Amino acid sequence: MAKFVLAGRADCPYYAKAELLADYLQKNLPNFQIHKIAQHPHVWEEWLKDLCEKKKWSHKNSPIIWRELLDRGGEGLLLGGYNEFLEYAQLYYGVTSSMTTELMKIIAQENLEAHIKKELEEEARKDLVKPLQVWITSASVPACYSLIPILVSGEVFGMQTAMSIHLFDSEPAVEDLHLLMTETRDLVAPLLREVSVCTRVEDAFLQAHVVIILDESTHQEVHTLESCIQSRLPLCRLYGGLIEKNAHDSVRVIVGGKTFVNLKTVLLMRYAPNAAHNIIAAALGVEGRARAVLARKLKTTPSSIKNVIVWGNITGNNYIDLRKARVYRYESAIWGPPNYSRPVLSLIFDSEWVNRQFVATLKKLTETGRQFGSILAAHSIATTLKYWYQGSPPGEIVSLGVLSEGQFGIPEGIVFSMPVKFENGTWVVLTDLKDIEISKRKMTRMATDLIQEKLVALGEVISFQPYQSETDLAERDEKTNLPTTYTSQENQSISDEYKDRKYSDLTQDEENDPDVTPVTISEKPYSQTPINDSAGKTTEQQKII
């Protein structure tokens, strides 16, 4: 069997002439086989150079023809160009070519047009089957285990969207990543094309269409709030640079987790400026907890409650707004069609519960429900992505952490949770909602801490100064005038006592706010989650003020 390879520039007349001769030989000789490779004129020279370097040949023109030595296990025997191939055909087979120059040019042009058409068809075919590239950072954390089954189910990106999932984490987590990869493959999900593990930083986010940022474990112990905030900067700077360098131009980035979600989002925007408009923070976890508490009070299901708005710091000082919240399918004396709803506040007659017990219950869930945090975080991220790709339900308000442009009087340049809707693959801030103005004092309380976090992380401010109301300052001055003596053990709990006092004052202040608001919830700042170190130890927030 004689197998020949004919390669050339698609618009080359001599390639066309050699092709015609090779086709004739293959048709008339039983042991002659030809394999043709046509290259676009723009890539021909580079392709030929790479080929010759690989096979250690010397050839500079189109076409190039060689014989594959299949029976001898060799890499191939170079014949040369068209003239050498013509001589070979005349010598061994007694065949020559009589194609005219005019016909050579016509066929060469037809070859080029056919080649371009074939390339376009191939690209279209690849687009149809090209999977969505989904990258998950800190993939060894529990939230990733809960997130992957939701992603591959088809509910998030659509039942026709194939995907590849890339699990990215540090080298010490590689064993956990391989176990997770095996479990993911065992799901036998029809939409899942590939699962891979990545621990090489330089390879992270290659051609990523979606990047999901989960909570990372710090590799050093931190004892102050400032050092905890500053520890987020290097990783966000690294991730931002990699997203700029490696990710797809249309990449979408969603940030989740239990700590400093707003801060991480704004830092990523800073270091990935080209993707900044597509970087958001998931706030539906906070909204979900609030809806669950309301559902237990109203003896209904959390899914029946809509339009709960989360303002401010998603994992810190925030405000749960129930003024637009409504309940559907509520069992009462008044019934209506499925789209009939009633205001939540009109069904809760106990204002003391709204202003006190609601706050306390959410606080308790935050402190004691951490074992369920991975499920909640996964659902929050998956639902936000689903809305981003498929649109949020018509008329429904969604809470989302986005970069402020001055809407609602929020200072510019910080990531702030606010009401939005998703449509046409993007989100729109609902600035046209009526009766949702936030008092200046509430806004200042929420925005000040976010501004301070950003400044401390960037090194523009040395120490974090949380917002203090006039009541806070008055009590501080009063305590300053009192004699204070305490032991070292008491000193360990000063910070915790300060936070408890600040939390109580916050609730009371909001209840007495002259701007009457149906409900105000502010989670205790910087006390929801301990800070994790690499050994799984915790540095309790009571150590940081």
Side-chain angles (χ1 to χ4, degrees):
M1 172 67 72
K3 180 180 179 181
F4 291 84
V5 180
L6 168 62
R9 206 175 64 240
D11 63 343
C12 175
Y14 292 100
Y15 172 77
K17 195 169 185 178
E19 182 184 22
L20 182 64
L21 177 58
D23 288 342
Y24 176 83
L25 292 173
Q26 181 172 256
K27 181 178 179 181
N28 292 279
L29 298 175
N31 294 323
F32 187 96
Q33 184 178 357
I34 186 70
H35 176 67
K36 293 177 283 188
I37 303 175
Q39 293 292 340
H40 195 282
H42 294 163
V43 301
W44 163 252
E45 290 186 4
E46 184 177 353
W47 182 89
L48 179 62
K49 181 181 177 181
D50 292 341
L51 175 71
C52 291
E53 288 180 355
K54 179 181 179 182
K55 295 184 175 291
K56 298 180 181 179
W57 292 340
S58 177
H59 190 86
K60 297 182 179 179
N61 300 317
S62 171
I64 181 173
I65 305 162
W66 69 93
R67 179 177 178 179
E68 295 286 354
L69 303 177
L70 301 177
D71 55 340
R72 306 178 196 175
E75 292 186 356
L77 176 65
L78 177 65
L79 296 183
Y82 168 73
N83 290 331
E84 290 78 9
F85 182 54
L86 182 60
E87 291 177 4
Y88 185 90
Q90 289 174 338
L91 178 63
Y92 281 90
Y93 306 114
V95 177
T96 187
S97 174
S98 60
M99 181 184 291
T100 63
T101 303
E102 184 87 13
L103 184 57
M104 287 169 54
K105 292 181 179 179
I106 294 174
I107 294 178
Q109 182 62 33
E110 291 176 351
N111 281 346
L112 178 60
E113 293 174 357
H115 179 74
I116 293 174
K117 182 179 179 181
K118 183 179 178 181
E119 283 187 332
L120 293 175
E121 290 175 350
E122 183 68 16
E123 288 298 322
R125 186 186 65 81
K126 287 181 179 179
D127 288 340
L128 290 175
V129 299
K130 188 176 182 180
L132 193 73
Q133 303 296 320
V134 180
W135 283 77
I136 306 176
T137 72
S138 304
S140 61
V141 301
C144 189
Y145 283 79
S146 302
L147 177 62
I148 288 177
I150 306 176
L151 295 180
V152 300
S153 68
E155 296 181 5
V156 176
F157 304 113
M159 297 304 296
Q160 304 300 321
T161 304
M163 72 189 72
S164 294
I165 294 180
H166 306 275
L167 308 173
F168 177 54
D169 212 325
S170 58
E171 185 65 34
V174 67
E175 185 176 347
D176 292 335
L177 294 182
H178 281 286
L179 289 173
L180 178 57
M181 179 176 67
T182 301
E183 291 188 39
T184 303
R185 288 172 176 169
D186 291 345
L187 290 172
V188 197
L191 297 175
L192 184 62
R193 293 290 180 267
E194 178 191 7
V195 187
S196 68
V197 168
C198 178
T199 57
R200 286 167 50 89
V201 172
E202 57 269 29
D203 294 337
F205 311 139
L206 285 174
Q207 292 301 307
H209 296 106
V210 178
V211 176
I212 301 172
I213 308 291
L214 298 179
D215 263 330
E216 73 288 344
S217 298
T218 58
H219 296 282
Q220 58 182 357
E221 213 173 300
V222 289
H223 296 278
T224 65
L225 177 58
E226 289 78 9
S227 60
C228 183
I229 292 174
Q230 291 166 359
S231 68
R232 269 61 185 176
L233 180 67
L235 196 63
C236 291
R237 180 166 52 204
L238 174 65
Y239 284 175
L242 290 170
I243 289 171
E244 284 283 289
K245 179 182 177 182
N246 295 340
H248 194 273
D249 292 340
S250 61
V251 63
R252 303 183 185 189
V253 183
I254 182 168
V255 184
K258 298 179 182 178
T259 57
F260 300 104
V261 169
N262 296 57
L263 174 64
K264 290 186 291 187
T265 305
V266 77
L267 291 178
L268 283 172
M269 292 176 176
R270 180 184 181 89
Y271 294 110
N274 291 327
H277 62 289
N278 269 349
I279 303 178
I280 59 175
L284 291 183
V286 181
E287 180 184 321
R289 286 201 302 265
R291 289 165 64 179
V293 174
L294 291 169
R296 283 193 285 272
K297 176 67 175 177
L298 295 173
K299 294 182 174 57
T300 185
T301 59
S303 61
S304 299
I305 299 175
K306 310 288 186 182
N307 300 344
V308 174
I309 302 175
V310 179
W311 298 90
N313 192 342
I314 296 167
T315 52
N317 192 4
N318 55 50
Y319 162 46
I320 307 298
D321 191 347
L322 302 184
R323 288 174 292 178
K324 295 294 181 181
R326 304 188 71 85
V327 58
Y328 292 77
R329 302 181 298 276
Y330 186 64
E331 295 186 10
S332 66
I334 302 176
W335 282 82
N339 60 348
Y340 175 74
S341 64
R342 301 174 65 183
V344 167
L345 292 175
S346 70
L347 300 174
I348 301 178
F349 305 102
D350 188 353
S351 61
E352 181 68 17
W353 182 91
V354 172
N355 288 288
R356 290 291 181 181
Q357 192 172 342
F358 186 35
V359 178
T361 304
L362 282 180
K363 175 173 173 284
K364 184 178 179 181
L365 284 176
T366 300
E367 292 178 345
T368 63
R370 291 194 184 105
Q371 65 271 30
F372 303 108
S374 63
I375 299 176
L376 183 60
H379 186 266
S380 172
I381 291 170
T383 304
T384 305
L385 282 172
K386 176 183 177 181
Y387 291 166
W388 202 351
Y389 274 83
Q390 303 184 44
S392 54
E396 188 170 322
I397 300 173
V398 180
S399 299
L400 186 69
V402 299
L403 186 67
S404 170
E405 297 179 353
Q407 307 97 325
F408 307 107
I410 303 168
E412 297 183 18
I414 59 174
V415 170
F416 203 90
S417 179
M418 60 183 80
V420 306
K421 67 176 179 180
F422 287 93
E423 60 182 7
N424 300 323
T426 187
W427 45 265
V428 179
V429 179
L430 297 176
T431 54
D432 57 346
L433 289 178
K434 297 181 180 179
D435 303 323
I436 61 166
E437 293 78 9
I438 305 296
S439 71
K440 184 177 181 180
R441 187 167 61 84
K442 295 190 186 84
M443 189 64 69
T444 302
R445 184 185 293 275
M446 291 184 287
T448 299
D449 287 347
L450 290 172
I451 295 172
Q452 286 282 312
E453 285 181 3
K454 181 179 177 181
L455 294 176
V456 170
L458 296 175
E460 298 179 16
V461 170
I462 297 176
S463 60
F464 183 90
Q465 300 294 332
Y467 173 79
Q468 291 182 311
S469 64
E470 294 180 2
T471 304
D472 297 330
L473 295 173
E475 290 194 9
R476 186 191 66 180
D477 293 339
E478 181 181 350
K479 290 196 174 185
T480 302
N481 295 328
L482 295 175
T484 57
T485 58
Y486 47 83
T487 64
S488 59
Q489 183 177 1
E490 291 170 337
N491 186 36
Q492 292 292 322
S493 62
I494 288 177
S495 177
D496 197 46
E497 292 173 0
Y498 167 77
K499 293 182 182 68
D500 286 339
R501 174 179 58 78
K502 185 170 179 11
Y503 181 80
S504 300
D505 290 346
L506 179 63
T507 305
Q508 185 177 1
D509 288 349
E510 300 290 3
E511 185 182 6
N512 298 327
D513 193 338
D515 298 331
V516 179
T517 304
V519 60
T520 302
I521 306 298
S522 291
E523 298 183 6
K524 185 164 59 173
Y526 315 110
S527 62
Q528 293 181 10
T529 308
I531 305 168
N532 296 323
D533 62 14
S534 58
K537 301 176 183 178
T538 59
T539 303
E540 293 295 339
Q541 293 281 20
Q542 64 181 8
K543 293 183 181 179
I544 55 178
I545 298 181

